[in-house]
């Protein structure tokens, strides 16, 4: 099912609002928000379901002993998980970056640590480099901003990563 830009933007607003609610409900805890990297207008498909389940399993395994709460939402605009942990924001950020950098599908995980003011913590804040592009190794933000690669190229790479993972 394809989604529109308006639906995507609305889902981001709803996600930000939900994050604020969780931060208020669990003061002093650190919020980790998981979404799936899926370019294009289809956010929920066979690949995104495999990626989201792999990411959720990795997240739970990593934070099991420090997890306070976890909630998931499987929406037409994509899968979302919200994990609250007793770890500090810095420790949580290093942990999610390790998952993003080492899991076979980690490049397709988008795991943000949301600070008490509602902003995501950057990799720079914990001394880690920016994420690289799925295709060329340049900083991902550069390629996204400049639309260096087509959606089709990115989806082909995602399909390859998922096929290699499920083998």
């Amino acid at each position: 099912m394809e989604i529109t830009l308006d639906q995507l933007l609305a889902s981001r607003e709803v996600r930000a609002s939900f994050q604020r609610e969780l931060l208020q409900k669990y003061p002093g805890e650190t919020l980790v928000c998981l979404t799936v990297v899926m370019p294009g207008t289809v956010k929920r498909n066979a690949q995104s379901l495999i990626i989201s389940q792999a990411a959720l399993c990795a997240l739970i395994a990593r934070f099991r002993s420090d997890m306070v709460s976890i909630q998931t939402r499987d929406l037409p605009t994509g899968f979302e998980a919200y994990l609250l942990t007793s770890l500090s924001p810095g420790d949580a950020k290093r942990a999610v970056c390790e998952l993003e950098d080492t899991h076979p599908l980690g490049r397709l995980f988008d795991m943000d640590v949301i600070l008490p003011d509602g902003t995501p913590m950057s990799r720079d804040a914990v001394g880690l480099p920016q994420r690289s592009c799925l295709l060329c190794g340049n900083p991902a933000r550069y390629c996204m901003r400049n639309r260096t690669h087509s959606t089709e190229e990115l989806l082909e790479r995602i399909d390859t990563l998922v096929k290699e993972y499920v083998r």
Side-chain angles (χ1 to χ4, degrees), residues 66-111:
D66 303 302
M67 188 167 49
V68 174
S69 170
I70 190 162
Q71 297 179 43
T72 62
R73 302 194 305 187
D74 193 5
L75 307 168
T77 52
F79 178 85
E80 302 172 354
Y82 302 86
L83 179 138
L84 286 130
T85 178
S86 57
L87 292 177
S88 71
D91 287 343
K93 183 64 178 180
R94 281 185 283 280
V96 297
C97 288
E98 181 180 345
L99 290 175
E100 289 175 342
D101 293 343
T102 62
H103 190 282
L105 293 177
R107 183 57 194 83
L108 306 175
F109 303 167
D110 188 4
M111 297 180 174

Side-chain angles (χ1 to χ4, degrees), residues 9-129:
L9 295 174
S11 76
R12 289 180 182 171
E13 289 299 319
V14 170
R15 184 168 44 245
S17 176
F18 190 63
Q19 290 168 351
R20 286 189 297 274
E21 288 176 30
L22 289 172
L23 289 167
Q24 288 177 351
K25 186 176 178 182
Y26 294 92
E29 305 297 349
T30 300
L31 175 60
V32 176
C33 180
L34 162 69
T35 57
V36 172
V37 174
M38 188 58 60
T41 58
V42 177
K43 302 296 182 186
R44 192 174 185 285
N45 57 27
Q47 289 87 358
S48 71
L49 294 175
I50 292 167
I51 297 162
S52 63
Q53 290 310 300
L56 184 61
C57 289
L59 195 64
I60 291 170
R62 173 58 187 87
F63 287 93
R64 183 173 315 250
S65 62
D66 303 302
M67 188 167 49
V68 174
S69 170
I70 190 162
Q71 297 179 43
T72 62
R73 302 194 305 187
D74 193 5
L75 307 168
T77 52
F79 178 85
E80 302 172 354
Y82 302 86
L83 179 138
L84 286 130
T85 178
S86 57
L87 292 177
S88 71
D91 287 343
K93 183 64 178 180
R94 281 185 283 280
V96 297
C97 288
E98 181 180 345
L99 290 175
E100 289 175 342
D101 293 343
T102 62
H103 190 282
L105 293 177
R107 183 57 194 83
L108 306 175
F109 303 167
D110 188 4
M111 297 180 174
D112 290 323
V113 171
I114 309 300
L115 296 171
D117 68 0
T119 61
M121 181 179 231
S122 70
R123 285 173 157 254
D124 292 345
V126 292
L128 295 173

